[in-house]
Amino acid sequence: MRIITRISSYDDASTAALSFRFHIGGYAIACSAMVDSLRQFMVWKMSPEKVRAFPIDRQLFLVREVAAKLYDLHGEPAASFWRAKAAELLDLVVGSGRDRATASDEVRRFFLAVQRELSAGLAAEPAPVLSA
């Protein structure tokens, strides 16, 4: 019984180098094709009608930041700050591709989230102890 130890003969250094370059070139072409198909898929997947922005009322950091600012303000400065922030958020949401009515609803939900945060913060504060 005879066992074949070599399937091909790459004893010649120039043949081995040529073969290696051929494989690297083929690999580069395959990688390039894969990147192109991935890019086409991502363009299709990320088209504007398929992208949804994260709702601003669920952006906890932003909700807490605005609630903290409003907690320190009172009266007209608080109202003025809120009007400016609401206008800024409305422009941001409209700029992300939503119509004005949907954007207004989202800003309204943000305002409710800020109010819940303010209420939770006030409830978490210890009440002063009054002595008789």
Side-chain angles (χ1 to χ4, degrees):
M1 179 172 182
R2 186 171 172 209
I3 299 174
I4 301 174
T5 56
R6 287 188 190 169
I7 295 179
S8 62
S9 102
Y10 282 108
D11 293 337
D12 184 22
S14 65
T15 306
L18 179 63
S19 173
F20 181 72
R21 274 187 257 133
F22 173 75
H23 288 300
I24 292 296
Y27 180 72
I29 290 169
C31 285
S32 175
M34 186 173 68
V35 167
D36 286 343
S37 65
L38 183 62
R39 185 179 303 123
Q40 289 171 357
F41 174 74
M42 292 305 292
V43 165
W44 172 79
K45 193 74 170 164
M46 300 294 287
S47 60
E49 64 273 358
K50 295 185 182 296
V51 174
R52 297 192 184 215
F54 195 70
I56 58 173
D57 62 311
R58 296 198 184 161
Q59 295 180 20
L60 195 55
F61 180 79
L62 183 60
V63 169
R64 287 183 176 165
E65 180 183 31
V66 171
K69 183 73 172 173
L70 283 173
Y71 182 76
D72 293 335
L73 297 174
H74 303 285
E76 184 52 39
S80 158
F81 170 75
W82 174 247
R83 281 191 298 271
K85 184 54 92 173
E88 175 188 330
L89 291 172
L90 185 64
D91 290 342
L92 179 78
V93 175
V94 168
S96 72
R98 291 193 178 87
D99 61 284
R100 201 141 184 93
T102 305
S104 293
D105 288 342
E106 192 166 334
V107 172
R108 222 174 274 113
R109 285 192 311 271
F110 178 80
F111 178 67
L112 292 174
V114 168
Q115 286 199 333
R116 278 192 306 269
E117 186 66 29
L118 283 169
S119 296
L122 290 175
E125 282 186 10
V129 177
L130 300 175
S131 60

